[in-house]
Amino acid sequence: MFLTRFRVNTARAGARRLLSSPQLLHGAVMASFAEPLPPGAPTAGDAAARVLWRIDHNSRSEVLLYLVSPQRPDLTHLVEEAGWPTTGGWQTFDYGAFLDGLAAGSTWTFRLTANPVHSIRRTPDEPTKRTAHLTQRHQAAWLLKQQERSGFTVVEKAPERRLLSEGDEHELVVHRQRSVSFGKNDRVRAGRHKVTLVTATYDGRLRVTDPDALRRTLTAGLGKAKAYGCGLMTLSPARG
């Protein structure tokens, strides 16, 4: 597995075009592989490994594309369209050693952009419908429900550090909630239809409870809409 980081040059028209459409950016990401695996295809090391990507808007001038993939990518086309062709590039790291080193009980800071949804029905005989969570409280609750099967637990705050009597129990911040719409080719109806996604970014601290399950989460993604920049969780050393 490989982890890749690419800085986007937001001053370029090509970059702004890609950032405006998850569909276009998905195509650019998948074009990074000479012989790409279909999303979600099995690999020798992990039956659920797939191509995952995420855009981090750290500031107006710092926008980063993160990419996790079973194969090493070539982002030359992205540098030419949305980077700095003469001075910039991308960094790709061997992700396997990091994944192998995850240990139960270790603590990490994390970031995740996800599509927090749930299935509802208005009447008992009505088919279930996938619906997005729209509030921070429900979006946070969605992530907390994923903990056990995903191999981690979000660290709880000490009672004296909680600012609210309810809803502030964990070291977790939900921000950058977005609703994005874009056109997608529909092979069945031979046309284009509109896709609308609600996304949220999560920053926090987690403790590893099941290293194997967490490795699957980091390489297979968490939640829906993985082709459109959702589901990629990244870890960094926790300080303090």
Side-chain angles (χ1 to χ4, degrees):
M1 296 296 296
F2 297 93
L3 172 66
T4 300
R5 181 178 61 207
F6 169 75
R7 185 173 177 184
V8 180
N9 183 352
T10 56
R12 303 192 66 180
R16 295 193 296 272
R17 183 180 69 89
L18 290 173
L19 292 173
S20 70
S21 170
Q23 174 77 3
L24 293 177
L25 195 45
H26 167 69
V29 166
M30 297 308 294
S32 303
F33 306 95
E35 298 178 359
L37 289 168
T43 65
D46 185 351
R50 60 177 296 151
V51 176
L52 299 168
W53 60 272
R54 187 184 77 224
I55 290 288
D56 282 5
H57 294 262
N58 295 333
S59 69
R60 179 174 294 183
S61 61
E62 186 181 61
V63 176
L64 301 174
L65 167 66
Y66 285 93
L67 176 62
V68 164
S69 57
Q71 300 176 11
R72 181 182 290 272
D74 183 342
L75 304 187
T76 302
H77 62 298
L78 280 174
V79 174
E80 293 172 345
E81 182 175 4
W84 286 266
T86 61
T87 61
W90 69 92
Q91 299 83 42
T92 295
F93 310 93
D94 182 353
Y95 207 25
F98 173 80
L99 295 171
D100 291 342
L102 290 173
S106 59
T107 303
W108 303 85
T109 61
F110 71 89
R111 173 166 286 185
L112 165 73
T113 294
N115 172 224
V117 297
H118 63 134
S119 296
I120 63 171
R121 56 162 54 99
R122 294 181 177 85
T123 61
D125 56 347
E126 181 183 56
T128 58
K129 180 181 179 181
R130 188 178 297 167
T131 304
H133 290 298
L134 299 178
T135 67
Q136 286 186 336
R137 180 170 67 89
H138 288 104
Q139 290 168 346
W142 173 86
L143 179 62
L144 295 175
K145 288 180 181 178
Q146 316 301 316
Q147 297 178 99
E148 183 176 357
R149 65 174 173 267
S150 300
F152 67 88
T153 182
V154 179
V155 175
E156 292 191 7
K157 293 181 179 179
E160 63 271 15
R161 293 182 53 225
R162 299 175 186 177
L163 302 178
L164 302 172
S165 59
E166 184 179 353
D168 192 35
E169 297 88 354
H170 297 86
E171 296 196 23
L172 176 66
V173 176
V174 184
H175 61 103
R176 197 170 171 77
Q177 294 96 338
R178 300 180 65 208
S179 178
V180 57
S181 297
F182 56 93
K184 178 183 177 183
N185 290 328
D186 189 331
R187 296 178 182 176
V188 175
R189 290 178 287 188
R192 291 178 68 83
H193 70 276
K194 187 177 182 180
V195 177
T196 299
L197 294 177
V198 172
T199 67
T201 297
Y202 301 81
D203 288 329
R205 287 163 60 97
L206 63 77
R207 183 171 292 110
V208 181
T209 56
D210 183 337
D212 288 336
L214 183 56
R215 279 188 276 270
R216 288 192 296 270
T217 298
L218 297 176
T219 56
L222 187 59
K224 304 295 184 181
K226 298 182 183 74
Y228 301 120
C230 297
L232 173 55
M233 174 182 281
T234 52
L235 308 180
S236 58
R239 295 181 174 86

